[in-house]
Amino acid sequence: QPRLVESGGGLIQPGGSLRLSCEASGFRLSIYPIAWFRQAPGKEREGVSCITYSARNTTYEDSVKGRFTISRDNAKNTVYLQLNNLKPEDSAVYYCAAPAFGDECLLVSRAYDYWGQGTQVTISS
């Protein structure tokens, strides 16, 4: 059974940085695109970033461009999301997701079949 596990969340002050990790087990993450989503209380889940299996293509939601960076280490079966210059509005549970097939980098929930349990990111002074 494919499994994704996120880690790296926490409480941090505005302007700070975090690195989130998404580690896969039960399947080779290296052959799939991976996306990060986030969901804040009372809001819909939104796509943040995605990366194709080759890492040639990445996509970012407009509000995180220039601040977040997605990367992958296929040898470690892990995808990372570097979060810099964090703002209070970035506070949310962050999830990584993988599709059952394909290599399209899409920021829509319905494109993904496997989800992690999420990691909480809270930005507060």
Side-chain angles (χ1 to χ4, degrees):
Q1 177 71 22
R3 186 165 176 250
L4 297 169
V5 179
E6 302 93 337
S7 62
L11 172 64
I12 196 163
Q13 292 186 343
S17 297
L18 286 172
R19 188 176 80 158
L20 307 183
S21 298
C22 171
E23 187 171 1
S25 62
F27 72 107
R28 287 175 55 205
L29 182 145
S30 61
I31 64 174
Y32 296 98
I34 299 295
W36 284 94
F37 289 79
R38 65 185 179 185
Q39 188 166 22
K43 295 188 177 181
E44 292 187 356
R45 187 170 297 186
E46 66 171 350
V48 175
S49 182
C50 60
I51 186 168
T52 53
Y53 80 91
S54 66
R56 288 182 180 177
N57 295 310
T58 58
T59 299
Y60 296 93
E61 191 268 329
D62 286 345
S63 71
V64 307
K65 285 180 180 177
R67 300 189 298 121
F68 292 8
T69 303
I70 193 169
S71 62
R72 64 192 306 154
D73 185 338
N74 287 337
K76 295 183 178 180
N77 228 26
T78 302
V79 170
Y80 304 99
L81 187 66
Q82 178 69 40
L83 288 60
N84 295 329
N85 191 22
L86 283 161
K87 305 175 181 180
E89 53 264 39
D90 294 318
S91 297
V93 178
Y94 283 69
Y95 301 89
C96 62
F101 56 88
D103 191 34
E104 282 195 275
C105 191
L106 301 172
L107 293 182
V108 289
S109 299
R110 65 178 182 273
Y112 297 90
D113 303 284
Y114 306 115
W115 294 81
Q117 83 292 344
T119 185
Q120 177 71 50
V121 172
T122 303
I123 296 88
S124 176
S125 55

